[in-house]
Amino acid sequence: MQYCINMYLCHRKEVLGMYEKEVKEKTSQILPKVVGWRRHFHEYPEVSGEEKETSLYIQQVLTELGIPFETGFFGTAVLGTIKGDLPGKTVALRADMDALPVTELTGLPFASKNKGVMHACGHDGHMSILLGAAAVLQSMKSQLHGTVKLVFQPAEEEASIGGGRHIAASGKLDDIEEIYGLHVWPELPVGQVGLKKGNLMAASDRFYVHVKGKSTHAAQPHNGTDALVAAAHFIIDVQTLISREMNPMENVVCTIGLMNAGTRYNVGVEDAYLEGTVRTYTPALRDKMEQRLGELLKGLDYTFGTHSELNYVRGHSATINTPEKIDFLDEVAKTYIGKEHITHPEFPSMCAEDFSYYLEKFPGAFLWLGTGKEGTPALHNASFALDESILPLGIIMEAGACLETLAKE
């Protein structure tokens, strides 16, 4: 099998790049509009499940580009279709649409006008890049061997809604043979394209813990059961679970990010509430973490006399790239943007992405598009702002990948 893949890649190298010049020219022509689209998205962000105006704007742009689309199959999602003039297979490109409940602090002239909502994860860039790639591909329909589906997906940030999960299961993409997507990435330098085989982004689960004790006067702790002390021990037990029970060579993170307990300084705590997240890559480790958190709470109750409850909620699964599709993107990147713009990250990220659901069902790849420079804030930071110089790189990669994978053999 590997021999066949290598032979295929060698053959593709000989013909790869036939669209390079035209893709770059058309990207340059459409770039001012792409920047305008990106700034509009940034100025009017909407949180998961509420992307109504965002969806309408995407529909407007697709209409202007002459690209047919459909809606109504899941929330605010939009599915555009570019059918080439020549026969061939069907592939897909995907961008996420939602913003975060964050109050923007960038000071940009096109900063968010929607109070308490911000595109702090770069989805404004993802949508505008996909629209730019769509414009390029639509203008080259006569050379397109097959069909490209354009997936504008809501609710990536909210696992309980699960935009990627629902669209992957909707049947709307059942005719595709592969799918590609990207994420802006401040951990890579501006202009670098990160390509990594296999594990790329982790599964993300969320858990809720209620530790119930018995309230009493703070001066008489022996008359009550202090839920706060018990919860504090649970936090330490979780850290010990990670550092002493889990294989240090496996990817697993457990972080408790929220704790609420108590009503007054001199009253023993009756109820403590904690929320946290677990990040893993393997189903077995995911199952083990859920099991062990429950067992730790049972031990806690035995030790302190509390009554604890665990609600463990599965979120996005792990994003695992198809190795041969990364090999393909590597050749596209070398030809279209140059090997100096390619990075092969050594380690995966413990952040999560619901592109995972597409890759569970279809071959494909998810790449990172570097937007980092000295002082660049992290994703989900109120001061995060992507460098717009990366927009053409994203367009060239998406359009080039589609044209090349659909090229007649």
Side-chain angles (χ1 to χ4, degrees):
M1 175 60 76
Q2 187 59 47
Y3 173 77
C4 293
I5 291 171
N6 289 338
M7 287 293 290
Y8 167 79
L9 288 173
C10 287
H11 170 67
R12 293 295 293 130
K13 287 178 188 177
E14 294 175 3
V15 297
L16 208 66
M18 58 191 297
Y19 308 106
E20 177 200 357
K21 183 178 179 182
E22 190 170 355
V23 166
K24 288 180 176 178
E25 288 176 351
K26 290 184 179 296
T27 297
S28 179
Q29 293 166 6
I30 196 67
L31 189 58
K33 286 189 175 182
V34 174
V35 171
W37 297 333
R38 182 258 160 169
R39 295 183 179 186
H40 176 90
F41 288 133
H42 193 88
E43 199 167 1
Y44 300 101
E46 296 172 298
V47 295
S48 302
E50 299 180 15
E51 310 94 336
K52 294 179 181 178
E53 295 303 317
T54 302
S55 179
L56 290 173
Y57 189 76
I58 290 169
Q59 294 172 48
Q60 175 187 323
V61 174
L62 291 176
T63 299
E64 292 171 357
L65 294 174
I67 298 173
F69 60 86
E70 59 180 303
T71 61
F73 57 94
F74 177 72
T76 57
V78 182
L79 180 63
T81 301
I82 301 173
K83 189 170 180 58
D85 291 349
L86 303 167
K89 62 184 180 180
T90 300
V91 300
L93 298 172
R94 171 269 201 177
D96 35 15
M97 302 161 60
D98 52 333
L100 289 158
V102 171
T103 299
E104 183 163 356
L105 299 176
T106 63
L108 291 168
F110 50 90
S112 172
K113 283 187 166 60
N114 294 340
K115 186 177 180 181
V117 184
M118 177 193 173
H119 270 299
C121 200
H123 296 188
D124 51 337
H126 304 168
M127 289 183 285
S128 57
I129 286 171
L130 181 50
L131 286 171
V136 172
L137 292 168
Q138 177 71 356
S139 69
M140 298 176 68
K141 279 177 58 178
S142 62
Q143 303 174 65
L144 197 62
H145 294 260
T147 300
V148 179
K149 290 193 171 184
L150 314 166
V151 183
F152 293 90
Q153 177 214 302
E156 185 277 329
E157 298 287 358
E158 185 50 69
S160 64
I161 300 175
R165 180 176 70 251
H166 284 287
I167 293 176
S170 70
K172 294 294 181 181
L173 301 180
D174 283 358
D175 58 342
I176 72 170
E177 295 191 32
E178 54 202 80
I179 187 168
Y180 298 97
L182 58 77
H183 204 299
V184 297
W185 206 246
E187 295 177 35
L188 289 180
V190 171
Q192 289 294 298
V193 170
L195 301 172
K196 187 179 186 309
K197 296 181 181 180
N199 292 350
L200 183 73
M201 302 181 77
S204 171
D205 299 333
R206 187 172 181 177
F207 63 88
Y208 305 81
V209 171
H210 176 198
V211 180
K212 187 167 185 61
K214 180 183 176 183
S215 181
T216 184
H217 195 289
Q220 301 172 319
H222 57 288
N223 289 332
T225 302
D226 195 329
L228 181 58
V229 171
H233 276 266
F234 175 71
I235 294 171
I236 299 301
D237 288 344
V238 167
Q239 303 313 307
T240 305
L241 168 66
I242 298 297
S243 66
R244 287 296 175 267
E245 188 172 330
M246 299 300 162
N247 186 337
M249 303 308 293
E250 291 187 295
N251 301 105
V252 56
V253 169
C254 183
T255 298
I256 296 171
L258 178 64
M259 180 176 179
N260 288 320
T263 57
R264 183 175 164 83
Y265 79 99
N266 62 350
V267 177
V269 175
E270 183 160 332
D271 296 285
Y273 300 90
L274 303 92
E275 294 182 31
T277 183
V278 172
R279 306 299 174 101
T280 55
Y281 270 97
T282 67
L285 194 51
R286 201 176 192 183
D287 293 341
K288 182 176 181 179
M289 283 300 299
E290 180 176 2
Q291 176 187 335
R292 291 297 288 125
L293 289 176
E295 291 171 349
L296 287 179
L297 286 174
K298 288 180 181 178
L300 192 80
D301 290 343
Y302 181 81
T303 302
F304 291 96
T306 52
H307 299 279
S308 302
E309 296 178 358
L310 171 68
N311 180 19
Y312 192 97
V313 181
R314 299 291 176 112
H316 302 329
S317 54
T319 301
I320 303 175
N321 280 325
T322 308
E324 56 265 36
K325 299 306 176 186
I326 288 293
D327 285 335
F328 168 67
L329 286 185
D330 188 66
E331 294 303 325
V332 171
K334 287 176 183 175
T335 303
Y336 280 73
I337 62 174
K339 62 182 180 180
E340 68 275 11
H341 290 286
I342 303 171
T343 297
H344 296 287
E346 182 178 2
F347 300 108
S349 170
M350 299 309 286
C351 295
E353 234 292 345
D354 76 351
F355 195 80
S356 57
Y357 296 108
Y358 304 107
L359 292 178
E360 286 181 335
K361 191 169 183 179
F362 312 106
F366 197 66
L367 63 86
W368 288 335
L369 189 57
T371 188
K373 50 190 174 185
E374 187 175 354
T376 299
L379 297 174
H380 291 212
N381 187 295
S383 297
F384 173 75
L386 65 84
D387 188 320
E388 289 178 340
S389 69
I390 69 173
L391 297 176
L393 284 178
I395 295 168
I396 290 167
M397 281 300 300
E398 289 194 339
C402 286
L403 284 160
E404 294 292 348
T405 197
L406 293 176
K408 188 175 181 180
E409 292 297 319

